[in-house]
Amino acid sequence: MQYQEQVHTLADFPALPDLSRFTGLSGALYAKTGNKINASVGNPLNNPHPLLADAVHKSFANSWRYGNPNGDFQTRNAAIKLFDHIGVTGLQISQVIVGNGSTNLYSAAIDYIDHLTRPSHSDAQRVFLVATPTYGLFTIHPSQHNFQVVGFPLFAEHDWKPHPSIIEDVITRIHEEGAKVVAFLNINPHNPTGAVVDQNSAKELAQICIKHDLFAIDDMVYKWLEYDNRESCPLAAIDGMRGRTITLSSLSKSFNCPGLRAGIACGPESAIMHISDKLRNSLQSVSSVTQAAIISASKIIDPSSSNDFLEECKEQYQFRAKLFRTMIDGEAAAGATPQERKEIKSILRGMLQPEMLSHVVDCGIPGVNIINRTLEAGYFYLLDFSDYQELYYRDLKINDSYDLVTALVHEAKTLALPSEFMLASHTYPMAMRVSLGLKVHDIVRLGRAIYNTLVNLTDEPT
Ligand SMILES: Cc1ncc(COP(=O)(O)O)c(C=O)c1O
């Protein structure tokens, strides 16, 4: 394991992750293509859950008044039920709150951790620990509250699970440099790797949090999208963690309605009170329409009701994964059943030129490696393009995944997420994240765009 060389020292991490290169690129794509294939976002693929849509529709009658900024009583009871299903059980009404997406609650939670940790660490740089690659946007909020965001690397060899000795090593280095790790962001199931932290891993993480007195944010927005009976285990379910963990979830991913901005959080009463104050003072109360969706979700998730919709969504994501893998790895390595192979071939036949079709089906796209091949949850693939580093797209030298994404945008009007955005550039500088939350035809167009871009790379500038 070579990670020692790859983990940077504290000084190497910028206080504010610079996502501006990506933001500019994303803007360029919108301007160029009208956002035709945007594989950079985790956009769930179907309509919202029909029962939930129905509840939202009917709820408009209640929107004549402001809702309680914490969430109305019934909504918070629904949040308790949802958390109970996630595995954080026995919550009181004062320990839950609803917000405009988990992002809104996350941002307020960071403010709480800032207040909590500032007095006792006024003379040390406070560090917010994340596992990298990570969800880049969630590194901005702690940076804005003067935390230094430091990543410890996740590796394919560990099935992308956080490795306790790696975390301990990183914490030791940070403390040797005079800074203090005060908080830890756990994303479970993980974006972008799709890995699930089960009960055993959760216990290991809990031990570290307790030993080093870390406050934890447990982001579980991809809960309910685990495959093959895997179960992500909340940190708050482990002894000693309830008082130091804020757990987040939302309806954005598994219920397919990110536009509703329906988020829920639970945690110690003092944390929830702080978050409540933040939201109350800025009238960020959740709309009655969104609250109706949360109430409906708690009924849907009840073991007594059918969960066909969730199962159907998961099947759709897994089919897309096999379709995409057929294009990247070739048919033999894609793990599709004979029936799925037939279906995949017929989709590809309708969309690819015969030459490309036979090439792709036989051997996939050479030099592209899916590094999180076993999707435990969610709908992201990480692609490694190391073989293409230092080639040229016209006169642009491909030094990192940002350059490759630039080539992809210009050649094929397709956007994926560069490694930089995931703060993974120190471990996987040539990795790109693609979302499988696209229509079937767009998955094929994505594979075609990657193929067409790569065949246009040259050894010398043109
Ligand atoms: C890991 C993670 N957390 C949070 C969010 C934001 O979710 P929400 O819509 O609940 O704000 C996302 C969205 O992509 C995500 O990937």
Side-chain angles (χ1 to χ4, degrees):
M1 181 58 51
Q2 296 299 305
Y3 81 91
Q4 293 281 9
E5 280 108 326
Q6 290 167 326
V7 177
H8 288 198
T9 67
L10 193 58
D12 293 329
F13 287 87
L16 188 70
D18 180 12
L19 304 181
S20 55
R21 283 172 90 197
F22 173 73
T23 315
L25 187 69
S26 152
L29 176 83
Y30 275 55
K32 260 174 166 277
T33 68
N35 189 22
K36 283 212 186 89
I37 312 179
N38 188 348
S40 77
V41 288
N43 47 335
L45 51 99
N46 285 321
N47 297 325
H49 195 295
L51 292 179
L52 201 141
D54 192 44
V56 163
H57 189 70
K58 290 188 180 129
S59 72
F60 190 64
N62 283 332
S63 55
W64 56 269
R65 61 181 177 87
Y66 281 111
N68 184 326
N70 291 18
D72 293 330
F73 192 74
Q74 208 192 345
T75 322
R76 276 183 286 159
N77 268 321
I80 289 176
K81 267 179 96 175
L82 286 162
F83 279 121
D84 192 74
H85 197 272
I86 285 175
V88 188
T89 54
L91 288 165
Q92 305 294 314
I93 202 99
S94 54
Q95 295 170 319
V96 291
I97 188 162
V98 303
N100 289 293
S102 63
T103 308
N104 178 220
L105 295 163
Y106 178 72
S107 153
I110 298 292
D111 196 74
Y112 170 69
I113 300 175
D114 185 13
H115 276 73
L116 183 74
T117 58
R118 203 185 310 161
S120 44
H121 301 294
S122 54
D123 49 352
Q125 170 65 58
R126 290 167 304 154
V127 170
F128 196 91
L129 202 61
V130 301
T132 60
T134 190
Y135 172 56
L137 282 188
F138 272 15
T139 63
I140 294 177
H141 307 255
S143 301
Q144 286 172 340
H145 279 79
N146 296 318
F147 292 103
Q148 186 148 9
V149 179
V150 173
F152 65 84
L154 300 168
F155 292 101
E157 302 92 285
H158 298 153
D159 296 329
W160 303 102
K161 313 282 181 218
H163 200 281
S165 67
I166 294 181
I167 307 176
E168 286 287 3
D169 277 4
V170 172
I171 293 178
T172 304
R173 276 188 191 218
I174 292 167
H175 290 173
E176 277 167 3
E177 292 188 34
K180 174 77 179 92
V181 182
V182 294
F184 167 53
L185 168 64
N186 188 42
I187 302 178
N188 181 28
H190 193 255
N191 172 6
T193 68
V196 165
V197 167
D198 61 12
Q199 198 183 33
N200 282 341
S201 306
K203 279 185 180 160
E204 291 173 346
L205 292 175
Q207 235 171 21
I208 294 174
C209 290
I210 293 165
K211 176 176 162 196
H212 295 284
D213 192 21
L214 312 185
F215 197 91
I217 297 191
D218 206 14
D219 174 353
M220 301 194 74
V221 295
Y222 291 96
K223 180 70 194 173
W224 300 304
L225 287 176
E226 300 110 323
Y227 304 125
D228 306 321
N229 297 321
R230 288 188 179 84
E231 285 260 4
S232 44
C233 173
L235 291 176
I238 310 294
D239 280 352
M241 287 304 288
R242 189 62 80 89
R244 57 171 75 246
T245 307
I246 292 174
T247 313
L248 303 175
S249 191
S250 85
L251 307 191
S252 295
K253 314 298 178 184
S254 30
F255 291 90
N256 285 342
C257 49
L260 266 180
R261 313 305 301 123
I264 55 175
C266 70
E269 206 172 302
S270 55
I272 298 303
M273 268 173 65
H274 185 98
I275 294 173
S276 160
D277 270 354
K278 282 290 285 181
L279 305 191
R280 191 182 298 271
N281 294 342
S282 48
L283 268 191
Q284 292 184 55
S285 49
V286 170
S287 81
S288 46
V289 171
T290 300
Q291 296 202 37
I294 294 173
I295 293 166
S296 171
S298 75
K299 292 178 187 154
I300 291 165
I301 216 73
D302 193 285
S304 65
S305 72
S306 131
N307 275 317
D308 292 352
F309 176 84
L310 262 176
E311 290 310 316
E312 164 76 19
C313 281
K314 287 201 280 184
E315 269 172 35
Q316 296 268 350
Y317 286 126
Q318 285 188 302
F319 178 73
R320 279 154 179 76
K322 287 174 190 164
L323 170 62
F324 191 66
R325 275 182 64 170
T326 302
M327 299 187 78
I328 300 295
D329 291 342
E331 187 183 30
T337 62
Q339 179 58 32
E340 286 170 332
R341 274 187 183 210
K342 254 171 102 181
E343 204 179 328
I344 288 171
K345 267 223 186 109
S346 119
I347 294 166
L348 293 179
R349 216 174 283 124
M351 292 190 67
L352 301 182
Q353 302 287 353
E355 192 195 331
M356 187 170 164
L357 177 70
S358 65
H359 189 79
V360 156
V361 169
D362 287 349
C363 48
I365 304 179
V368 182
N369 182 23
I370 302 177
I371 49 180
N372 58 336
R373 184 155 280 149
T374 310
L375 260 197
E376 295 187 347
Y379 41 76
F380 298 118
Y381 265 151
L382 282 174
L383 309 180
D384 184 48
F385 294 86
S386 300
D387 285 6
Y388 293 88
Q389 202 166 18
E390 302 201 346
L391 295 185
Y392 286 83
Y393 174 70
R394 300 184 190 160
D395 61 351
L396 171 74
K397 188 170 181 190
I398 309 289
N399 286 315
D400 55 25
S401 64
Y402 172 85
D403 297 327
L404 189 70
V405 167
T406 306
L408 194 61
V409 167
H410 284 273
E411 182 62 30
K413 308 199 183 336
T414 295
L415 184 64
L417 204 62
S419 173
E420 198 174 44
F421 184 86
M422 303 175 278
L423 298 198
S425 36
H426 56 301
T427 36
Y428 296 97
M430 283 297 287
M432 229 167 57
R433 191 197 81 178
V434 294
S435 167
L436 302 168
L438 302 172
K439 294 193 167 60
V440 164
H441 282 193
D442 280 339
I443 297 281
V444 181
R445 289 163 76 203
L446 169 64
R448 196 170 63 188
I450 291 170
Y451 181 93
N452 285 336
T453 304
L454 295 179
V455 295
N456 275 311
L457 301 185
T458 50
D459 289 336
E460 299 294 334
T462 54

